[in-house]
Amino acid sequence: MTEIRSTTPGLYPLPDWAKDDLSDLKGHQKNDLISGDETGEIADAYDRARTEVVGRQLEAGLDLIVEGQLRWDDMLAHPLCVHDNVETRGIVRYYDNNNFYREPVVRGDLTPDGDVTAELDAASEVSQAVLPGPYSLAELATDEYYGDGTAFLDAIAEFLAAEVDAFPVVETLFLLEPSLVTDAPADGEDERVSEAIDTVAAAADADVVVHTYWGSIPEKPYAHLMDADIDAVGFDFVSDHEGSLYNIQEYGTKDDVALGVVDGQNTLVESPEEIAERIEWVESQLPVAEFDTIYATSNTELFYLPTNKAEAKLDALAAAPAEVPR
């Protein structure tokens, strides 16, 4: 029987109190703005917020708990923006929405720095790690060191793999790869992207889900992604249910699957019954007998939402698996 596990792709909104406190603290410590080496009151505020966000997931009853990535002001670009050999420059639009990040410009070796590992170590209840996938991270960055697109992608993949290798024990790793949809790799590059994802996945002692969103992956890159040694692909059934379904029907998918069935950008809160109906609908459209595991998740990160709406969606996601007929 298929196991349905409720989870999220992480990147939660800061609790309201933390937005105010951290804004005031950073205003007085301008040189410490998300340096990756926060100390004193700023570090204490993030620790308190992390504890609150993890506790709220446990209260909701989610099957897999994420650290929350509350320090990731630069969103998926964060692991590079805090690196010593990366210079952050001007503000860049984050994909096609009203969020922005500082452009990370790589100017030296991407040696492992343990930033994300330290976050996981600080939250012992976490059972799911979150990272940008190598392709999306490379697309968000500018290379002024490696000098070649292939070498740069390889370096990003090795950097992420070294981070993953140092992780504490987790059950699942979500690699977030929206660029596979929004800026799909060209012929030839799509195979290299699959190999880069393999590099990161091979370092993980956990089930690896490559989660894509803001649409569906074009056919050829999807076919190459299926060659990667990963446990599941994540599909955005909010933004493009027809394209996502087509890829699965035409090319198959892994034995496990992640279904983005909750809108991570809309404040309208889905009921557990609505979420269950979406999961049941996807299952009914597929030729496979059943998946081993379905990860029921929001389609995108949750940082777009007000805190109260994000928390309400956690409650609905956690309750939904019990509503799916079995």
Side-chain angles (χ1 to χ4, degrees):
M1 179 180 292
T2 301
E3 180 182 20
I4 302 176
R5 310 192 77 187
S6 55
T7 188
T8 64
L11 281 89
Y12 284 20
L14 276 166
D16 292 334
W17 66 264
K19 293 175 186 175
D20 294 336
D21 286 7
L22 286 165
S23 178
D24 290 343
L25 288 168
K26 291 174 184 177
H28 290 96
Q29 301 181 42
K30 296 184 185 298
N31 291 332
D32 292 331
L33 286 174
I34 308 302
S35 66
D37 189 27
E38 300 90 358
T39 57
E41 291 180 287
I42 291 178
D44 290 344
Y46 277 122
D47 287 345
R48 178 183 164 198
R50 177 189 295 113
T51 298
E52 184 174 314
V53 166
V54 169
R56 188 61 183 81
Q57 293 173 76
L58 293 168
E59 178 187 336
L62 286 170
D63 293 308
L64 291 164
I65 308 299
V66 299
E67 184 269 339
Q69 294 73 48
L70 301 176
R71 292 173 54 248
W72 293 26
D73 281 10
D74 298 293
M75 293 156 284
L76 294 186
H78 169 86
L80 288 184
C81 289
V82 298
H83 196 283
D84 287 344
N85 290 332
V86 175
E87 177 186 346
T88 51
R89 293 184 184 165
I91 299 299
V92 183
R93 186 179 295 276
Y94 183 66
Y95 294 97
D96 188 20
N97 57 50
N98 290 324
N99 292 271
F100 299 87
Y101 69 103
R102 299 172 303 162
E103 179 190 14
V105 181
V106 177
R107 305 191 67 187
D109 279 333
L110 289 177
T111 51
D113 62 4
D115 180 83
V116 179
T117 302
E119 293 178 333
L120 295 175
D121 286 338
S124 60
E125 302 92 340
V126 166
S127 51
Q128 176 173 299
V130 174
L131 277 177
Y135 179 64
S136 294
L137 189 55
E139 289 294 294
L140 292 169
T142 297
D143 171 38
E144 290 189 356
Y145 179 74
Y146 291 95
D148 173 82
T150 299
F152 187 50
L153 179 62
D154 289 346
I156 294 279
E158 293 290 348
F159 165 67
L160 292 173
E163 190 80 42
V164 169
D165 187 57
F167 279 178
V169 175
V170 291
E171 297 179 45
T172 311
L173 167 63
F174 262 47
L175 294 176
L176 307 186
E177 282 283 19
S179 288
L180 284 175
V181 173
T182 64
D183 190 17
D187 285 354
E189 186 184 16
D190 46 14
E191 185 174 359
R192 293 192 294 273
V193 168
S194 177
E195 292 169 355
I197 290 171
D198 263 341
T199 296
V200 182
D205 188 16
D207 293 330
V208 177
V209 180
V210 174
H211 189 51
T212 63
Y213 44 100
W214 289 323
S216 56
I217 313 174
E219 294 179 57
K220 197 162 182 282
Y222 179 77
H224 279 294
L225 180 60
M226 280 298 295
D227 292 334
D229 189 14
I230 58 177
D231 297 281
V233 176
F235 299 90
D236 184 346
F237 276 92
V238 174
S239 299
D240 187 1
H241 64 276
E242 291 183 359
S244 297
L245 190 63
Y246 173 82
N247 278 339
I248 300 174
Q249 291 175 331
E250 187 72 16
Y251 299 103
T253 195
K254 303 292 185 176
D255 291 337
D256 300 338
V257 68
L259 303 181
V261 288
V262 167
D263 195 332
Q265 296 181 277
N266 193 315
T267 56
L268 181 66
V269 178
E270 301 86 347
S271 70
E273 293 77 17
E274 287 173 322
I275 298 169
E277 286 174 4
R278 293 173 184 179
I279 295 170
E280 187 180 8
W281 180 83
V282 173
E283 289 186 289
S284 72
Q285 302 299 309
L286 300 179
V288 295
E290 64 179 26
F291 294 106
D292 291 340
T293 302
I294 291 175
Y295 298 96
T297 183
S298 58
N299 63 328
T300 69
E301 315 102 312
L302 295 176
F303 65 78
Y304 306 98
L305 299 172
T307 301
N308 64 331
K309 296 296 185 179
E311 291 182 348
K313 288 182 184 256
L314 297 182
D315 293 332
L317 266 170
E323 301 296 328
V324 181
R326 285 292 181 254

